[in-house]
Amino acid sequence: MSTTTKPASRTEPRAGQRADRDTHFEVEQFYYEEADLLDDGRFTDWLDLLADDLDYWMPTRTNRLRRQQALSIAARGEAAFYDETKESLAWRIRRFDSGMAWAEDPPSRTRHLVTNITARHLDPDEHPGFTGTDLVVRSAFMVYRNRLERETNIFAGGRTDILRRTDVGLLVARRTILLDQNILQSKNISTFF
């Protein structure tokens, strides 16, 4: 009697497990497409990459002593550069086209660089409403912004996203953005990250 081993069946990913190579490539391509849409000013198309229940949050930061680092990032309900939903982002985008968004008329030119991408399967116990096939993705970014003749800004930081897997592909359901600088040198912040 011969014994043969059957190939292992693909199991549900475990919480915290690093995404496989194909999933990681899919995530990278998703972020590169997102960067292209933002840099091309195709904001309405960018909205299609966002889940309807999106939470888009960029808290402010302060300089603190090493022993107070836990207080350096504003908590929910405190000051934030962005605390948005998909609906409020859509409102901002409609405002660009209204002629009333003077900070973006003429529009900025941007270049989004995304790197250091890590993707892990999330723990549904820690994130109700999500499944083990959804992903927690961390990335680093640098955004160059130029407007008019002399307005140039560079924003650097990191993002932590929850990407939801849907029938139409990945969607950003949660995004937390942390800028490395605590004082913005720009005259306004009308750039999406």
Side-chain angles (χ1 to χ4, degrees):
M1 184 189 249
S2 97
T3 60
T4 57
T5 46
K6 294 182 180 177
S9 63
R10 191 167 181 166
T11 60
E12 184 78 12
R14 291 190 319 257
Q17 180 180 355
R18 190 180 299 249
D20 63 31
R21 179 180 48 210
D22 292 338
T23 303
H24 195 274
F25 180 77
E26 177 187 16
V27 168
E28 285 180 332
Q29 295 307 304
F30 176 84
Y31 282 134
Y32 300 154
E33 177 185 356
E34 179 185 29
D36 283 345
L37 292 173
L38 291 171
D39 292 339
D40 291 344
R42 296 173 50 203
F43 302 120
T44 303
D45 293 335
W46 173 65
L47 286 173
D48 292 338
L49 301 180
L50 310 177
D52 290 339
D53 63 342
L54 173 74
D55 178 37
Y56 186 92
W57 184 52
M58 181 193 283
T60 59
R61 299 183 89 162
T62 57
N63 287 330
R64 298 286 182 147
L65 296 173
R66 191 173 298 276
R67 67 178 179 270
Q68 298 175 321
Q69 282 303 297
L71 302 173
S72 68
I73 300 170
R76 285 288 183 167
E78 295 180 353
F81 295 114
Y82 287 106
D83 191 356
E84 307 291 333
T85 63
K86 183 175 182 177
E87 185 177 321
S88 65
L89 288 173
W91 178 86
R92 284 177 181 264
I93 290 166
R94 284 191 302 273
R95 191 167 171 268
F96 285 163
D97 296 330
S98 72
M100 300 302 291
W102 297 295
E104 281 300 315
D105 197 11
S108 297
R109 290 174 298 279
T110 62
R111 184 65 52 208
H112 288 70
L113 305 176
V114 182
T115 186
N116 297 9
I117 298 168
T118 60
R120 296 187 179 278
H121 294 278
L122 64 69
D123 184 347
D125 294 334
E126 292 179 16
H127 302 279
F130 293 93
T131 69
T133 59
D134 296 328
L135 301 163
V136 176
V137 181
R138 293 178 53 104
S139 61
F141 67 84
M142 184 170 290
V143 178
Y144 169 84
R145 174 182 178 236
N146 179 265
R147 186 171 173 276
L148 302 173
E149 291 82 20
R150 293 185 180 89
E151 288 184 35
T152 300
N153 305 111
I154 296 177
F155 304 97
R159 302 183 304 196
T160 302
D161 293 345
I162 295 180
L163 298 184
R164 180 181 288 137
R165 187 166 297 286
T166 70
D167 293 340
V168 296
L170 297 172
L171 295 177
V172 178
R174 306 285 179 270
R175 174 164 286 170
T176 300
I177 306 150
L178 285 178
L179 290 176
D180 290 335
Q181 59 264 51
N182 67 321
I183 296 176
L184 297 182
Q185 303 296 318
S186 62
K187 294 179 181 176
N188 60 53
I189 187 163
S190 55
T191 303
F192 300 120
F193 298 90

